[in-house]
């Protein structure tokens, strides 16, 4: 069987355009691309991408397809990347920054928002610098690597009267909106049990750089200072998120177990696999797994009067699933374009971003992740 890497998965399914499927009951959600109308010709939010790894490329294509935002600038520490992106996306020289002169962005009225797409451990620095420059910020998830960092990011944005969003793209994806509806509206009765798992076999082909040597420690996801942890931070957060928004509840306690380490040289700082269990106020439990030692991508919810499930479930899609009553089929969307358009429409209207994508939401995830690590390290149940 051909080995599936995270990169091949992303390249095959990442942008998710052009599929034609039959739609079941869609939640109250229509993007501009799904609701034919005259093209938007008003003011757009000008975005600078900070960090130009593989996912930044997906975001750039999402911006290119969007109606409410524009790729106006870039921030990179690699001059060759700057030249490539400048030519590819027609970015003015005056809107190109490096990590040293980044603070000068405060003097640039042609940039409204900075999207931070850097290693987890650098999110705090560049969100705070963006806020001090008077720019709105979006940062990829996880929001940061500690509760303290998250709170400092929230405080900095509030102090500088800018808004902070976390890149929860699945919050705008119609299949996930449907499983959220099925769970929270108790369509099949009360959800009692959730299983959520996401893993990719090996980190050999992750999106930040090509690893020449198998034991290359420059891969930032293997560096705890930059990553904050292993696959729990990178992938497990999707399992946490799905469990939370399907139930509409916050976990009250967790137990956890580290998995077997197959490559002790590469995983001397971060876990290779981890399993955890979450307890919720309603009595529901969630059993979750994440790994870079095996491939898995599924979600299952058991309720009093039925079930619903997805596989693929928590990656870039296309998502496939069913309930105990019917198949789940929704249009495949450009997840990055949809997320950015929905965020930018709110900013253009000078309204507050919805709570489910703000820094406070990101902070909740980090508190849960910290509790999971503590439970795995101590072997004890940890209350949240």
């Amino acid at each position: 069987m051909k080995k599936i890497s995270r990169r091949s998965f992303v390249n095959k399914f990442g942008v998710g355009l052009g599929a034609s499927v039959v739609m079941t009951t869609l939640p109250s959600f229509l993007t501009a691309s799904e609701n034919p109308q005259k093209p938007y010709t008003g003011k757009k939010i000008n975005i600078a991408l900070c960090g130009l790894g593989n996912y930044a490329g997906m975001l750039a294509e999402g911006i290119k397809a969007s109606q409410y935002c524009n790729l106006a600038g870039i921030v990179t520490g690699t001059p060759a990347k700057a030249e490539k992106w400048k030519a590819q996306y027609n970015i003015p020289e005056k809107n190109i920054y490096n990590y040293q002169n980044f603070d000068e962005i405060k003097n640039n009225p042609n940039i409204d928002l900075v999207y931070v797409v850097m290693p987890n451990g650098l999110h705090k620095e560049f969100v705070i610098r963006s806020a001090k420059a008077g720019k709105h910020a979006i940062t990829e998830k996880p929001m940061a690597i500690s509760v303290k960092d998250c709170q400092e990011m929230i405080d900095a944005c509030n102090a500088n009267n800018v808004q902070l969003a976390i890149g929860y793209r699945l919050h705008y994806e119609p299949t996930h909106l449907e499983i959220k509806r099925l769970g929270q509206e108790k369509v099949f009765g009360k959800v009692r049990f959730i299983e959520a798992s996401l893993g990719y076999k090996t980190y050999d082909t992750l999106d930040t750089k090509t690893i020449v040597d198998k034991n290359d420690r420059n891969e930032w996801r293997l560096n705890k200072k930059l990553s904050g942890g292993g696959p729990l931070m990178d992938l497990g957060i999707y399992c946490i998120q799905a469990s939370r928004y399907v139930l509409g509840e916050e976990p009250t306690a967790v137990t956890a177990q580290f998995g077997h380490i197959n490559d002790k040289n590469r995983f001397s700082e971060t876990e290779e696999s981890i399993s955890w269990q979450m307890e919720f106020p309603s009595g529901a439990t969630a059993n979750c797994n994440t790994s870079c030692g095996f491939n898995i991508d599924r979600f299952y919810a058991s309720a009093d009067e039925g079930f619903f499930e997805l596989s693929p479930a928590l990656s870039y899609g296309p998502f496939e699933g069913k309930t105990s009553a019917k198949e789940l089929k929704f249009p495949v969307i450009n997840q990055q374009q949809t997320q950015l358009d929905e965020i930018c429409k709110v900013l253009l209207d000078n309204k507050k971003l919805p709570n489910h994508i703000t820094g406070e939401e990101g902070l909740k995830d980090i508190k849960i992740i910290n509790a999971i690590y503590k439970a795995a390290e101590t072997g004890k149940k940890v209350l949240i």
Side-chain angles (χ1 to χ4, degrees), residues 19-172:
S20 176
V21 294
V22 178
M23 183 171 63
T24 64
T25 304
L26 186 66
S28 54
F29 171 86
L30 286 173
T31 66
S33 61
E34 294 163 353
N35 185 19
Q37 58 184 332
K38 293 181 180 179
Y40 175 74
T41 57
K43 174 178 167 54
K44 295 186 177 185
I45 296 293
N46 288 324
I47 296 177
L49 291 176
C50 182
L52 301 182
N54 184 69
Y55 191 65
M58 295 172 67
L59 287 168
E61 292 303 307
I63 294 171
K64 188 176 179 181
S66 72
Q67 292 200 67
Y68 298 96
C69 56
N70 175 58
L71 180 55
I74 53 174
V75 185
T76 179
T78 308
K81 282 187 179 181
E83 288 301 313
K84 178 182 177 181
W85 279 65
K86 175 184 177 182
Q88 185 173 354
Y89 294 102
N90 195 28
I91 297 172
E93 183 68 36
K94 63 184 178 65
N95 291 355
I96 299 175
Y97 298 88
N98 57 46
Y99 303 134
Q100 289 70 45
N101 68 10
F102 174 78
D103 298 323
E104 294 175 13
I105 204 169
K106 69 181 178 182
N107 300 317
N108 192 334
N110 296 317
I111 293 176
D112 305 303
L113 181 151
V114 177
Y115 198 136
V116 179
V117 202
M118 302 181 73
N120 308 333
L122 299 176
H123 290 180
K124 170 191 166 182
E125 176 186 346
F126 284 90
V127 165
I128 291 177
R129 289 171 75 177
S130 299
K132 289 181 177 179
K135 310 300 181 184
H136 298 298
I138 305 175
T139 187
E140 264 310 299
K141 58 202 167 301
M143 177 181 177
I145 62 175
S146 73
V147 169
K148 179 175 179 289
D149 285 357
C150 292
Q151 193 60 57
E152 289 180 11
M153 294 159 72
I154 293 168
D155 292 344
C157 289
N158 289 339
N160 289 279
N161 197 32
V162 296
Q163 297 204 60
L164 170 61
I166 315 302
Y168 292 121
R169 59 185 165 78
L170 294 183
H171 285 212
Y172 298 103

Side-chain angles (χ1 to χ4, degrees), residues 182 188 300-309 322-326:
L182 293 174
F188 296 102
Y300 178 88
S302 178
D304 285 340
E305 300 165 18
F307 70 87
F308 47 99
E309 63 181 343
K322 64 182 179 180
T323 74
S324 46
K326 61 185 178 182

Side-chain angles (χ1 to χ4, degrees), residues 304-375:
D304 285 340
E305 300 165 18
F307 70 87
F308 47 99
E309 63 181 343
L310 300 176
S311 183
L314 301 166
S315 54
Y316 294 98
F319 302 115
E320 297 179 8
K322 64 182 179 180
T323 74
S324 46
K326 61 185 178 182
E327 283 189 275
L328 290 175
K329 290 188 178 181
F330 290 93
V332 176
I333 65 167
N334 183 321
Q335 296 173 24
Q336 293 74 29
Q337 171 257 314
T338 304
Q339 169 199 310
L340 287 163
D341 269 344
E342 294 301 315
I343 289 172
C344 290
K345 280 193 288 186
V346 174
L347 296 177
L348 287 167
D349 287 340
N350 293 313
K351 294 179 180 178
K352 285 286 187 182
L353 291 169
N355 292 335
H356 67 90
I357 58 163
T358 61
E360 285 77 11
E361 177 74 6
L363 174 59
K364 290 176 183 178
D365 278 338
I366 295 303
K367 286 181 177 178
I368 296 166
I369 285 172
N370 282 354
I372 293 168
Y373 277 132
K374 183 177 180 181

